[in-house]
Amino acid sequence: MKHLLSVDDLTSSDINSIFQLAHDVEELILAKSPKRGNDFVVASFFAEPSTRTRFSFERAIHWLGGKIITAADASASSSISKGESLKDTFRTLGQYADMIVFRHKDENWPDIADKYSRVPVINAGSGGKEHPTQALLDLYTIQKELGDVNGKSIMFCGDLMFGRTVHSLIKLLAKYDCKIFLCPATVIEGYTTTYYLDLPGYYAAEKAISQETAKKLLPEMDVVYMTRIQKERFSSDGCVIESLKLDKSGIDTMKSKSAILHPLPRNEEIAEEIDDDPRASYHERQVRNGLYIRIALMEYLLELR
Ligand code: NCD
């Protein structure tokens, strides 16, 4: 494996090795072991907003002993704003860095990176299409919270059309034996016909369920994966959107051993009143696992240690 551009790049053996490394990293960090003394440089290039992905990558690089070169807001401050192509951007970054962590609104940039980058590239978000490192940390979180992902029922709610974390995680879960339920948000006003924010056609193997049905199915779910509406990715001005909202009355019907995940940022889809419920993984454990997974992934790709 040279790059991580899509979850399609990951074999089961890659996933197992990365999870084993992440487990070891977590133990070292919890034991307050000093950072690893490596010597490498990563270009951290985020041309879309980010809090968790960017900060966890940069924290991970610090822990490993690497150095970061970056732009504060790459869409405005890099030469992309002067019309430079992504092809030329990758060619340039590869002259300065040993690895590139890249996020951009163009869904197809990973193909360009694959062709033109001479150093490994990690996809930190490609438009509304993929977010493979989030999928890895989500899968890792499910395994840690519930012991195993096989045999589990997992429900995805919210913007399944433009939610890249959903796309990558669903593809990754296809390697395991679990049952997927999809509860897409619906735009009930603002379009001429009701617009379902459902999985793009090429994923539509699973059938969508209504929000009413989803509520009734909550007691059977092992994992509920909530997402916000990606308003920046479609003309949503003046739209009225209905999306399942998870609150205390909903989670009171769920199993005591289940997990609520959200890639964050959260808008209105999760009521703050459930944040402290032991099944809510999103603010602490899921975010923290992102750090361990990203350290492990960089060790794996750069063959560090
Ligand atoms: C997500 C993203 O950027 O795709 N956040 C993240 O990376 N943790 C989800 C989102 O923006 O809604």
Side-chain angles (χ1 to χ4, degrees), residues 251 266 270-283:
I251 67 161
R266 167 250 306 266
I270 293 188
E272 286 187 13
E273 64 186 10
I274 69 167
D275 285 355
D276 295 327
D277 188 279
R279 294 163 292 183
S281 319
Y282 44 88
H283 274 314

Side-chain angles (χ1 to χ4, degrees), residues 48-53 103 124-125 127 130-131 134 137 162-165 227-230 232-233 262-265 294:
E48 273 194 327
S50 176
T51 299
R52 279 147 291 269
T53 307
R103 169 177 285 195
E130 273 232 46
H131 194 343
Q134 181 72 40
L137 79 89
F162 300 105
R164 55 190 172 199
T165 69
T227 61
R228 74 179 173 98
I229 308 300
Q230 305 266 315
E232 70 275 30
R233 302 202 192 278
H262 193 310
L264 302 178
R294 289 176 175 124

